[in-house]
């Protein structure tokens, strides 16, 4: 197990360097004039341009710029945005909102996806099974940019169950509707995956053996069927956590949530390379750590899995 963890950590380091290099190249290699993009239509004086150029090493070769960035990143210094604000301060304001939104969305997706998928898998071919499959197709077919305004109109304006916008300091209640919208596609995918896995495992030989031994139906489902069906679902949950954080741009924009998505969108629009690369670097770490934890959970769910 220790050797496996060390090997995975080395793979994570290589992946992190490669991912940050690609993102840094996309943001800086073909950048036209980030200083003018930040200023908009206003003229930029030569003195201001010279100071910003030296501060962000814009005249240095691309590889040298990346080296400066990695040196600061490894020491915990994310640098400053093109407006002069420390990126660490921007992250401290944005990340708590996005983390709460993503975790709440993942909670709803796991609760409804696994719960409904389990029932649908055990009652394959029933009215409930057919209805949930049809609903998941509708949800998957609707992009968030369409689903979010519809949910806002129906549940926020017409019914008045939830606030239409979360505001600058969103409460947990104010994040429920955005979380349901953000996790809708994950809920549908998790439901279909759980259903297929349960329907396959319920006909397995070990399940028939457990029933033949006289185990109760609840124990057979909880210990044998559900536990073995969770391995592919756990993989999806691990991937979804990072995906929900990265994919919250539209949801945060519609519901006015000052999170990572809105900051990334602002950074892309203003060509603020340090801001975009800083947030993406943290997202890469989230992806890598989450997938490592998922791999370790495999051995807990299935004792046959051993990492040598």
């Amino acid at each position: 197990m220790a050797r496996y963890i060390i090997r995975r950590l080395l793979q994570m380091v290589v992946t992190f360097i490669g991912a940050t290099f690609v993102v840094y190249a996309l943001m800086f290699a073909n950048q036209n004039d980030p200083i003018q993009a930040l200023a908009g239509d206003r003229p930029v004086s030569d003195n201001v341009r010279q100071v910003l150029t030296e501060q962000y090493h814009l005249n240095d070769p691309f590889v040298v710029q990346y080296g400066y960035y990695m040196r600061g990143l490894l020491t915990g210094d994310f640098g400053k945005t093109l407006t002069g604000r420390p990126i660490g301060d921007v992250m401290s304001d944005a990340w708590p909102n996005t983390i709460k939104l993503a975790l709440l969305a993942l909670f709803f997706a796991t609760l409804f996806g696994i719960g409904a998928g389990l029932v649908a898998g055990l009652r394959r071919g029933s009215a409930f099974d057919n209805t949930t499959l049809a609903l998941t197709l509708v949800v998957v077919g609707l992009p968030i940019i369409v689903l979010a305004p519809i949910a806002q109109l129906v549940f926020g304006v017409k019914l008045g169950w939830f606030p239409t916008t979360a505001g600058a300091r969103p409460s947990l209640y104010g994040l429920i509707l955005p979380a349901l919208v953000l996790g809708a596609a994950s809920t549908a995918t998790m439901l279909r995956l759980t259903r297929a896995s349960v329907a396959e495992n319920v006909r397995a030989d070990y399940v028939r053996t457990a029933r033949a031994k006289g185990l109760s139906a609840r124990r057979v489902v909880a210990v044998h069927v559900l536990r073995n069906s969770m391995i592919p679902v756990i993989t999806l949950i691990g991937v979804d956590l990072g995906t929900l954080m990265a994919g919250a741009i539209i949801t945060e924009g519609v519901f006015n949530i000052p999170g990572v998505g809105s900051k990334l969108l602002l950074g892309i629009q203003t060509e603020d390379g340090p801001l975009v690369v800083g947030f993406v670097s943290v997202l890469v770490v989230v992806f890598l750590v989450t997938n490592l934890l998922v791999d370790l959970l495999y051995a807990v769910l299935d004792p046959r899995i051993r990492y040598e």
Side-chain angles (χ1 to χ4, degrees):
M1 177 68 76
R3 290 182 179 179
Y4 172 78
I5 295 177
I6 293 174
R7 187 166 64 250
R8 283 303 308 271
L9 289 176
L10 293 176
Q11 293 173 355
M12 289 168 61
V13 171
V14 174
T15 304
F16 176 77
I17 294 175
T20 53
F21 182 84
V22 170
V23 175
Y24 198 91
L26 292 174
M27 287 302 303
F28 287 94
N30 297 319
Q31 203 171 45
N32 295 323
D33 189 353
I35 298 176
Q36 188 61 54
L38 178 67
D41 296 331
R42 295 173 298 177
V44 180
S45 65
D46 294 337
N47 292 334
V48 173
R49 182 178 293 276
Q50 182 178 357
V51 170
L52 291 177
T53 300
E54 294 178 356
Q55 180 178 352
Y56 295 102
H57 312 284
L58 296 179
N59 283 337
D60 293 330
F62 165 72
V63 176
V64 176
Q65 294 182 35
Y66 179 72
Y68 279 119
Y69 174 75
M70 288 301 297
R71 186 180 67 180
L73 193 63
L74 294 176
T75 58
D77 181 14
F78 290 91
K80 295 182 179 180
T81 67
L82 294 183
T83 59
R85 185 182 180 189
I87 296 178
D89 294 345
V90 180
M91 288 185 176
S92 64
D93 293 337
W95 270 110
N97 295 328
T98 297
I99 290 175
K100 288 190 293 184
L101 177 63
L103 290 178
L104 195 59
L106 188 63
F107 169 75
F108 288 135
T110 304
L111 178 65
F112 297 129
I114 294 179
L118 176 62
V119 176
L122 294 175
R123 300 179 180 179
R124 190 175 182 181
S126 64
F128 179 83
D129 181 30
N130 294 328
T131 303
T132 53
L133 287 179
L135 289 176
T136 54
L137 287 176
V138 174
V139 172
V140 171
L142 286 176
I144 293 182
I145 197 171
V146 175
L147 187 60
I150 293 176
Q152 197 176 41
L153 175 64
V154 174
F155 298 104
V157 178
K158 298 295 184 182
L159 298 177
W161 292 354
F162 303 101
T164 55
T165 58
R169 296 182 179 274
S171 63
L172 190 62
Y173 177 72
L175 290 175
I176 290 180
L177 185 58
L180 289 172
V181 171
L182 180 61
S186 298
T187 302
T189 305
M190 200 173 299
L191 190 154
R192 297 178 70 89
L193 183 61
T194 304
R195 172 193 175 275
S197 187
V198 168
E200 178 182 355
N201 285 303
V202 79
R203 298 192 301 269
D205 292 337
Y206 61 86
V207 174
R208 288 196 291 266
T209 301
R211 288 171 176 168
K213 289 181 178 180
L215 297 180
S216 63
R218 178 178 298 179
R219 182 171 178 80
V220 169
V221 171
V223 176
H224 297 281
V225 176
L226 185 59
R227 182 174 180 177
N228 288 281
S229 300
M230 285 297 99
I231 294 179
V233 179
I234 289 295
T235 304
L236 179 63
I237 292 175
V239 174
D240 269 351
L241 180 59
T243 304
L244 291 172
M245 290 184 180
I249 294 180
I250 297 176
T251 305
E252 290 180 354
V254 172
F255 291 96
N256 193 26
I257 301 173
V260 172
S262 60
K263 300 300 181 183
L264 275 175
L265 181 61
L266 178 63
I268 294 172
Q269 291 174 339
T270 59
E271 297 185 18
D272 195 335
L275 180 65
V276 175
V277 178
F279 274 103
V280 173
S281 299
V282 177
L283 285 173
V284 171
V285 173
V286 172
F287 269 106
L288 295 175
V289 173
T290 303
N291 281 276
L292 175 62
L293 295 177
V294 167
D295 287 345
L296 297 178
L297 280 176
Y298 286 160
V300 177
L301 293 173
D302 191 347
R304 296 171 297 180
I305 299 176
R306 290 293 181 268
Y307 297 114
E308 300 295 342

